[in-house]
Amino acid sequence: MTQPIAGVAPTGIQEVTVMTVWPSLSATAFGRFWGRLFAIEVGFRIFGVPLTIGRLMALVSIPFMLALYFLMRLPRFPGVIIGIKNPWCWVYRLTNRRVVVENPVWSRDQGRVAGSLRFN
């Protein structure tokens, strides 16, 4: 192998995937809204355990957050059998040339940011 870093090729030769990242719940407006509610620290202590509004909201939101998490992971939900595309499922793919937002099933680009990094 003639490459200094395994799996990474110079930009002029070919485009190589460096890493693939699934977005977190905070990538959605719904997740950011609930995150702001979790940060509320108004409350009191019961037997030394802080009972805050944010912690109560975290307990209340468990079913909603689990549903959103799996919705973002299942590429063909709700039509798993029929194959209806899930618009809330996307993946960020970082290459040596660009950042690509794509659907994990068909690997079609939903968006991209191209650029070059130059280190002097």
Side-chain angles (χ1 to χ4, degrees):
M1 183 171 353
T2 60
Q3 301 171 356
I5 301 174
V8 179
T11 307
I13 297 176
Q14 64 183 0
E15 183 175 22
V16 177
T17 300
V18 177
M19 73 171 43
T20 303
V21 180
W22 290 79
S24 69
L25 294 176
S26 62
T28 65
F30 185 74
R32 287 188 299 271
F33 168 75
W34 280 96
R36 285 187 209 105
L37 290 179
F38 300 158
I40 299 173
E41 296 197 18
V42 176
F44 52 91
R45 291 185 173 269
I46 298 179
F47 303 115
V49 177
L51 184 62
T52 64
I53 294 175
R55 288 183 180 211
L56 290 175
M57 288 293 144
L59 286 174
V60 168
S61 71
I62 289 173
F64 306 112
M65 292 294 121
L66 282 175
L68 180 61
Y69 175 80
F70 286 113
L71 182 66
M72 291 177 66
R73 296 299 184 264
L74 298 174
R76 292 183 178 209
F77 184 81
V80 176
I81 296 173
I82 321 170
I84 298 171
K85 181 181 157 187
N86 180 0
W88 296 285
C89 181
W90 69 88
V91 175
Y92 297 112
R93 187 167 52 95
L94 176 67
T95 68
N96 60 345
R97 292 185 185 175
R98 59 192 177 144
V99 177
V100 182
V101 181
E102 62 186 13
N103 187 300
V105 175
W106 293 282
S107 296
R108 289 194 315 224
D109 293 355
Q110 293 179 342
R112 67 185 79 122
V113 176
S116 61
L117 298 175
R118 305 207 189 264
F119 299 102
N120 293 329

